Structures are given as C-alpha cells and as structure tokens.
Amino acid sequence: MSRSGRDRGAAAVEFALLMPLLLVLLLGIMEFGYAFFVQATVAGAARVGARYYAIAYNSPDATTAANAVDTAIAMAKSAVPDPTRVDDSATKFTTTCAAGAQTTFIVTYRYQSMTGLFDSIVGTSLAITGKGSMQCGG
C-alpha cells in the first residue's frame, strides 16, 4: 500500500494537535496527586502537634503552656514539605488542655503547585487546612 502525497504528514499533524492536550492531562494528574499528598501531610502534621501538646501539657502555668504550644507548632512545621509555607497566624489550638478534655490543633499551609502551570487557575494563596484532635491526659 502506498500513501498519496497528501496523507504523509497526517500522523504528525494529529500528534501535534493531541500532544498539548495529553500533556495538560498528565500535568493535571500530577498536580492533583501532589495536592492530595500535601493535604495528607498537613493533616498528619496537625495530629503530631495535637499529640505532643496533649502529652506535654501538664500544668496550667502560662510559661509551660506556651512552651508546649511552641514545641507542638515546631513539630508540626517539621512534618510538612516546606515549613516556611505554614501560616503562623492561622495555626492554633482551639482549646487549652485540661484533664479529660479534648484539644484541637489547626495547621494552615499555603499550597504552591508543583509545576506552576495551574497557579493562574487555583491561585497562589490556596490554603490547605489540617485538623488534629487529641484527648488530654491529666
């Protein structure tokens, strides 16, 4: 079978038309996977911070409580992909620790896309929030 002169470049043209679409699809899958990974990591970091605070908090003394909070935040920051992207103003405990009470730790992380191609769609200030709750000891 021989091809006519008109059909010779058809495959190359079809490839050139479909390649950008397939590339965007592939990069979208990668970005979604990365965002899912970051969300799981931030949730884990919140659990780590809440666990440390529930265990380390043993006194209503303001200095001891502040040290426990600072250490819990530092531990949570060390568990995320980029510690500098943790929003310190939104990272907090919702309740103080008392024997038998439950404390909740909220970590807010400013997401940055892996490739940067979708920043115009999702924005550069997308916040991912993780919550961790633990029952305080006594």
Side-chain angles (χ1 to χ4, degrees):
M1 294 193 154
S2 66
R3 292 184 161 195
S4 67
R6 299 173 130 189
D7 292 339
R8 286 191 176 189
V13 170
E14 290 171 0
F15 179 76
L17 290 174
L18 287 177
M19 189 60 192
L21 179 66
L22 294 175
L23 190 61
V24 166
L25 182 66
L26 176 67
L27 291 175
I29 291 169
M30 290 170 50
E31 285 291 345
F32 180 78
Y34 181 67
F36 191 72
F37 163 74
V38 169
Q39 171 60 40
T41 304
V42 170
R47 277 193 305 273
V48 165
R51 182 177 184 275
Y52 177 81
Y53 183 64
I55 291 171
Y57 183 86
N58 57 7
S59 169
D61 176 37
T63 305
T64 305
N67 288 341
V69 168
D70 291 343
T71 305
I73 290 172
M75 290 180 73
K77 280 185 172 184
S78 69
V80 294
D82 184 3
T84 62
R85 302 202 63 81
V86 173
D87 187 2
D88 290 329
S89 64
T91 298
K92 63 183 183 241
F93 283 92
T94 58
T95 57
T96 57
C97 228
Q102 186 168 349
T103 187
T104 302
F105 183 47
I106 299 172
V107 176
T108 303
Y109 185 83
R110 292 181 316 273
Y111 176 74
Q112 183 178 9
S113 67
M114 183 170 50
T115 61
L117 294 175
F118 299 104
D119 284 344
S120 62
I121 297 170
V122 296
T124 56
S125 62
L126 182 67
I128 294 179
T129 302
K131 292 183 181 180
S133 294
M134 291 285 167
Q135 183 173 356
C136 298

